């Protein structure tokens, strides 16, 4: 039997709102006010997110981000720093009591990420789960993901790269050994790929169009892999209001951003 | 004294730790405060914050064992960080100079 799921496409928003909405969705699902939810979104302006356990100033060049007009936000999930620009971002919220929830974190990643590998296959890209939390295609990373469990729910969010901007990213992130920066950039370029790189026909497509194409493929992929039956909607007014409040009071606050 | 650890131990993500200790760096120096940072996962996250506080009073040589025991007690699921990994960083720090570590 298929699983009733809510499907949201919330467009492009600032980092604090994006993280606020993910947390608001988690709360609404936890309170039984909303169905388990799959959300697709983008970032405007571009942003860098840091993992819950990362030291902000150890990972991010805060001044460079300000100069480049790039938002900074701390996630409620662990994992590494991510530059969010040419990508599709998703979040999925599932109660721990749901048949799609797995207690073991790796197993949980494996199951939920099957939606992404299926969606990429829909686009014509063969990919595979690369533990702990990545998906790779042709041996290169194309998707990074992070998961937490709060209020009796799993929240997983992650990115699918549409294009790679390694040089810009390295201007925003701190590199432990500055001397090795050139080598590191070359190394990352050789280990990361994107939808645009893997689909010859995508080269002619604008990134806006590629975003839509990829979201549609991922929607179909998640539905097939996890047997989801979607109810397409917008966030509820309560969720929207909660997201705004979380954005203003938590995700934009210095105390949260500089937590570590 | 303050001890700064950084490294990517076997089976772990990149880990950084700042440890305030009550003596010169040696195995029996006691931890006064510890902050562990990195791109690892520990769920629930808030329990990890409490675990860090609970490590105060631990001798450096026991850090890994205590970390693992406290994580189990608190029901933490960790990925990309382990007691063994922290022990590896401590061992490295106690046998090298800060210049060698950087």
């Amino acid at each position: 039997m298929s699983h009733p799921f809510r499907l949201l496409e919330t467009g492009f928003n600032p980092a604090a709102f994006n993280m606020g909405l993910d947390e608001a969705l988690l709360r609404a699902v936890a309170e039984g006010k909303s169905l388990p939810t799959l959300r697709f979104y983008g970032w405007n302006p571009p942003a860098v997110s840091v993992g819950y356990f990362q030291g902000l100033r150890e990972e991010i060049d805060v001044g460079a981000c300000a100069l480049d007009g790039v938002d900074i936000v701390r996630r409620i999930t662990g994992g590494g720093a991510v530059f969010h620009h040419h990508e599709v971002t998703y979040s999925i919220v599932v109660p721990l009591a749901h048949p799609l929830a797995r207690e073991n974190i790796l197993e949980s990643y494996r199951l939920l990420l099957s939606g992404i590998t299926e969606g990429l296959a829909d686009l014509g890209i063969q990919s595979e789960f690369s533990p702990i939390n990545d998906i790779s295609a042709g041996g290169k990373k194309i998707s990074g993901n992070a998961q937490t469990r709060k209020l009796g729910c799993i929240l997983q969010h992650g990115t699918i790269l549409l294009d790679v901007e390694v040089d810009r990213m390295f201007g925003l992130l701190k590199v432990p050994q500055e001397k090795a920066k050139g080598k590191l950039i070359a190394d990352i370029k050789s280990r990361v790929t994107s939808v645009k790189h893997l689909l010859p026909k995508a080269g002619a497509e604008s990134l806006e169009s590629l975003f839509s194409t990829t979201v549609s493929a991922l929607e179909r992929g998640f539905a097939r892999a996890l047997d989801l039956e979607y109810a397409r909607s917008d966030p509820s007014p309560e969720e929207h209001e909660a997201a705004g409040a979380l954005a203003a009071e938590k995700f934009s606050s210095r105390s949260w951003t500089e937590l570590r | 004294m303050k001890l700064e650890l950084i490294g990517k131990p076997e089976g772990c993500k990149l880990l950084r730790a700042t440890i305030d200790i009550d003596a010169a760096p040696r195995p029996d120096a006691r931890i006064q405060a510890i902050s562990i940072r990195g791109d690892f996962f520990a769920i629930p996250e808030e329990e990890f914050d409490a675990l860090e506080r609970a490590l105060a009073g631990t001798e450096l040589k026991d850090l890994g064992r205590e970390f693992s025991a406290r994580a189990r007690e608190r029901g933490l699921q960790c990925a990309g960080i382990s007691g063994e990994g922290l022990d590896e960083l401590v061992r490295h720090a106690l046998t090298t100079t800060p210049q060698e570590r950087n």
Side-chain angles (χ1 to χ4, degrees):
Chain A
M1 200 176 89
S2 53
H3 307 292
F5 240 74
R6 184 170 57 148
L7 178 63
L8 305 175
E9 287 184 33
T10 58
F12 294 76
N13 284 291
F17 182 84
N18 272 336
M19 293 300 93
L21 185 52
D22 274 357
E23 186 166 334
L25 299 179
L26 173 73
R27 291 182 184 186
V29 174
E31 289 168 9
K33 293 177 177 170
S34 297
L35 281 175
T37 297
L38 175 63
R39 172 195 176 206
F40 292 99
Y41 58 102
W43 306 71
N44 185 24
V48 173
S49 71
V50 289
Y52 180 84
F53 295 108
Q54 290 190 296
L56 177 74
R57 289 173 197 281
E58 289 169 332
E59 307 293 341
I60 306 295
D61 186 333
V62 174
C65 288
L67 283 173
D68 201 3
V70 170
D71 276 356
I72 296 173
V73 72
R74 181 177 297 278
R75 302 190 305 270
I76 59 173
T77 51
V82 181
F83 175 49
H84 302 280
H85 191 206
H86 297 319
E87 65 176 39
V88 170
T89 313
Y90 77 94
S91 59
I92 187 165
V93 182
V94 186
L96 283 166
H98 193 279
L100 291 173
R102 296 287 179 276
E103 188 185 344
N104 179 277
I105 292 177
L106 270 188
E107 286 312 307
S108 184
Y109 275 124
R110 187 185 302 280
L111 177 62
L112 297 179
L113 290 180
S114 65
I116 296 179
T117 51
E118 188 73 22
L120 289 172
D122 191 286
L123 284 173
I125 295 171
Q126 296 310 308
S127 63
E128 60 185 11
F129 175 47
S130 177
I132 303 171
N133 56 315
D134 292 336
I135 291 175
S136 57
K140 297 182 178 186
K141 177 174 173 173
I142 191 168
S143 168
N145 305 275
Q147 184 180 120
T148 188
R149 289 134 191 255
K150 294 184 193 305
L151 307 171
C153 286
I154 294 173
L155 163 69
Q156 181 172 304
H157 47 200
T159 67
I160 297 89
L161 282 170
L162 298 181
D163 201 1
V164 183
E165 293 178 287
V166 176
D167 295 304
R168 187 174 181 193
M169 183 180 84
F170 270 87
L172 305 170
L173 304 184
K174 289 263 180 75
V175 181
Q177 290 176 319
E178 198 63 23
K179 282 183 200 162
K181 196 167 183 171
K183 184 176 177 298
L184 206 54
I185 290 174
D187 184 42
I188 295 289
K189 279 181 176 171
S190 72
R191 289 193 289 119
V192 176
T193 190
S194 68
V195 172
K196 192 171 174 180
H197 281 84
L198 291 169
L199 289 183
K201 64 179 182 186
E205 226 177 312
S206 69
L207 282 164
E208 291 75 18
S209 164
L210 197 55
F211 181 92
S212 301
T213 307
T214 304
V215 167
S216 298
L218 291 167
E219 287 175 5
R220 291 190 292 273
F222 272 99
R224 272 202 300 274
L226 304 181
D227 197 13
L228 308 183
E229 187 175 319
Y230 294 132
R232 191 179 287 271
S233 76
D234 292 320
S236 70
E238 291 81 7
E239 287 169 334
H240 207 272
E241 189 180 330
L246 283 163
E249 293 158 20
K250 178 175 179 178
F251 291 103
S252 298
S253 73
R254 196 166 168 177
S255 59
W256 172 257
T257 308
E258 299 189 5
L259 190 63
R260 282 172 186 261
Chain B
M1 283 203 68
K2 210 176 268 295
L3 195 56
E4 296 285 349
L5 313 180
I6 180 169
K8 200 170 181 309
E10 178 84 27
C12 293
K13 302 263 190 177
L14 178 72
L15 304 180
R16 302 174 194 263
T18 305
I19 310 179
D20 290 323
I21 43 178
D22 68 351
R26 58 176 193 246
D28 65 350
R30 283 191 187 278
I31 295 170
Q32 294 173 315
I34 181 167
S35 162
I36 305 170
R37 302 171 303 283
D39 54 349
F40 55 88
F41 297 92
I43 297 173
E45 289 79 3
E46 296 76 11
E47 286 296 328
F48 190 88
D49 299 338
L51 180 153
E52 282 180 322
R53 291 192 291 276
L55 289 172
T58 302
E59 292 186 3
L60 278 179
K61 64 176 166 36
D62 298 328
L63 174 60
R65 193 183 62 202
E66 277 297 304
F67 175 90
S68 300
R70 305 275 182 171
R72 264 196 310 276
E73 268 172 30
R74 292 168 187 279
L76 270 164
Q77 282 205 65
C78 296
I81 185 170
S82 65
E84 292 78 7
L86 290 170
D87 273 345
E88 192 178 319
L89 291 188
V90 168
R91 272 196 305 275
H92 183 65
L94 294 182
T95 54
T96 54
T97 65
Q99 289 74 25
E100 286 171 325
R101 291 200 293 278
N102 294 325

